[in-house]
Amino acid sequence: MSRRSFLRWLLVAAASLIGLSAGFAKWFSKHAFVEQETAQAATSIPGTPSPELPSGDISTVQTAALGEPLLSYFVFSDLHISSLDSATSIKLKQALDDLKSFDSKVEAIFMTGDLTDTGTAQDFKVLRTILDSYKLPPYHANMGNHDYYSVWLNKNNAWDKDTFPNGKSDALSREQFNKFFGYKKPYNEVNLNGYTFLLLSQETYIQEKPEVGEGAWYSDEQLKWLTERLAASYDPARPIFVMIHQPLPAIGDDGGTHQLIRAKEFRRILKPYKNVFVLCGHRHMDFQNGTPHYVKETFHYFHNSSVGRPLNRNFQAETKTKSQGYYVQVYADKIVFRGREFSDRSFLQEAEWTIDLQPAKA
């Protein structure tokens, strides 16, 4: 079975795995976005504030006047490195070549899920080979749904739903990810130059919990950890960065497949804090296709594009060469986000924001 055929099958299988009706499965196969692994609300985010520039909150980037940043880093999402497809490896190398010759400081790289296409040992071996061939700043990551996909591949590394889980398990996927990065758990805290980064991870997939589909399930333990680390790390004068993979559903809702499932609890935990920045991946939306990439809630919410497969509004890889990510610069009173096109080493005017931080005593 080809990858494309398998993913089309998965549309219906996801419904049947959680006991849904045949009618819903038919609707699901027509409307869900598994083929390109995008969020259900990929082109709009109903129920959220307007992504247009809030008054007094965002201005056009003018980095020349800002001085030296206190911290600068890149955010890569949806690399989709595969032992079966060299195209995504080429794009990651493009991105890392760009960093190697980058004029400005790069102090870290964060990778927000779907590091691999199928989560196999072969995929991670390719990723390791690429990363080890560069002299890089510290890099950190969380898990996406694709990093659990080894359960769908048989001993010949071919897509095979009939032999699911093919001798694999979600536990093995977590173990493999943790071993690759030297983590004890798939969710972690990173501190850089006095700034806190909380990387949350999807903790299970359908081998253990069929009802999650392609959504991100966070356990009570992980959400308690998030609550405790926010309280312990919070300094009203300093921003906190929270990295997730799947996007949030509309405000007031819990998510389903392709979304953060326990979204109401996630938002409740973040609500008391100002200057929190949430960055997600999964949607793959090209920075230049007109879809919202920034939404202002009680926190600042940014959607990334994809290093491996940026998509147009119809979830197609319209331009095969594109490869994108965020360059983030932290200043004492503002954060600058700049969308980067790695294929031609340019910044994208459509993806430039400066967020003024709320003062500590406001």
Side-chain angles (χ1 to χ4, degrees):
M1 178 181 284
S2 70
R3 178 182 183 276
R4 182 176 293 272
S5 298
F6 165 78
L7 289 173
R8 291 191 184 283
W9 168 83
L10 189 57
L11 287 165
V12 178
S16 61
L17 279 166
I18 58 176
L20 298 174
S21 69
F24 183 86
K26 182 178 179 181
W27 180 92
F28 184 79
S29 66
K30 180 179 179 182
H31 289 82
F33 303 136
V34 174
E35 175 60 33
Q36 298 295 354
E37 294 311 318
T38 53
Q40 286 180 319
T43 55
S44 62
I45 309 175
T48 58
S50 168
E52 300 302 321
L53 306 186
S55 176
D57 227 3
I58 302 179
S59 61
T60 303
V61 168
Q62 296 177 340
T63 55
L66 295 178
E68 187 70 17
L70 302 174
L71 175 66
S72 301
Y73 61 91
F74 266 98
V75 186
F76 292 174
S77 193
D78 297 274
L79 285 60
H80 287 276
I81 296 301
S82 171
S83 63
L84 304 175
D85 177 11
S86 63
T88 54
S89 293
I90 291 170
K91 289 186 176 185
L92 177 57
K93 291 175 184 177
Q94 279 184 335
L96 297 177
D97 286 339
D98 186 14
L99 267 64
K100 187 169 63 173
S101 59
F102 204 62
D103 290 335
S104 301
K105 189 185 304 183
V106 180
E107 297 169 270
I109 302 170
F110 290 92
M111 296 178 279
T112 54
D114 283 2
L115 313 180
T116 65
D117 203 38
T118 63
T120 61
Q122 295 95 320
D123 286 359
F124 275 100
K125 184 177 180 181
V126 174
L127 179 59
R128 172 62 70 201
T129 299
I130 295 171
L131 295 176
D132 285 353
S133 65
Y134 290 84
K135 185 177 180 180
L136 297 173
Y139 54 83
H140 310 275
N142 57 11
M143 296 184 76
N145 50 316
H146 271 260
D147 299 316
Y148 284 92
Y149 269 25
S150 65
V151 292
W152 297 112
L153 275 73
N154 63 24
K155 61 182 180 181
N156 298 318
N157 209 32
W159 298 93
D160 196 339
K161 62 182 176 63
D162 296 326
T163 52
F164 173 89
N166 291 289
K168 322 282 181 49
S169 69
D170 294 348
L172 286 174
S173 294
R174 290 190 296 272
E175 181 181 344
Q176 178 175 241
F177 173 84
N178 289 340
K179 183 177 180 181
F180 188 94
F181 288 98
Y183 296 155
K184 293 181 180 180
K185 293 183 178 181
Y187 52 93
N188 291 277
E189 177 178 350
V190 175
N191 292 283
L192 293 171
N193 297 2
Y195 294 96
T196 297
F197 295 77
L198 301 175
L199 284 75
L200 280 68
S201 268
Q202 174 177 345
E203 289 181 81
T204 190
Y205 187 52
I206 62 176
Q207 183 267 326
E208 291 177 340
K209 203 172 179 65
E211 64 270 24
V212 305
E214 303 298 316
W217 173 260
Y218 299 161
S219 66
D220 289 344
E221 179 184 348
Q222 182 171 185
L223 291 175
K224 180 182 178 184
W225 170 85
L226 174 62
T227 302
E228 292 173 348
R229 296 319 305 152
L230 279 170
S233 306
Y234 183 63
D235 177 345
R238 286 179 175 267
I240 291 179
F241 301 92
V242 179
M243 309 286 184
I244 60 179
H245 178 64
Q246 286 92 333
L248 291 159
I251 293 173
D253 292 344
D254 274 331
T257 189
H258 295 286
Q259 297 173 333
L260 196 161
I261 294 172
R262 301 180 69 181
K264 289 191 284 189
E265 180 69 4
F266 176 83
R267 284 183 164 112
R268 185 194 65 78
I269 292 169
L270 267 57
K271 187 174 181 179
Y273 304 101
K274 58 186 176 184
N275 297 327
V276 173
F277 291 76
V278 176
L279 294 92
C280 78
H282 193 71
R283 297 196 316 160
H284 291 234
M285 290 287 99
D286 185 333
F287 284 133
Q288 296 177 297
N289 75 7
T291 56
H293 284 83
Y294 168 75
V295 175
K296 177 68 166 66
E297 297 194 21
T298 61
F299 48 86
H300 300 282
Y301 178 29
F302 282 87
H303 295 258
N304 207 344
S305 179
S306 167
V307 172
R309 296 171 184 150
L311 303 176
N312 65 19
R313 295 174 73 99
N314 295 318
F315 316 106
Q316 300 166 335
E318 187 175 32
T319 304
K320 303 294 184 183
T321 58
K322 282 193 172 186
S323 177
Q324 300 173 349
Y326 276 125
Y327 180 54
V328 184
Q329 294 173 298
V330 181
Y331 296 86
D333 60 349
K334 57 180 60 66
I335 312 293
V336 176
F337 285 78
R338 306 186 73 187
R340 183 76 171 175
E341 175 55 57
F342 299 118
S343 65
D344 63 9
R345 303 185 181 184
S346 66
F347 284 113
L348 302 173
Q349 185 177 1
E350 299 90 340
E352 296 190 342
W353 299 268
T354 296
I355 312 295
D356 293 327
L357 297 176
Q358 295 183 54
K361 296 182 179 180

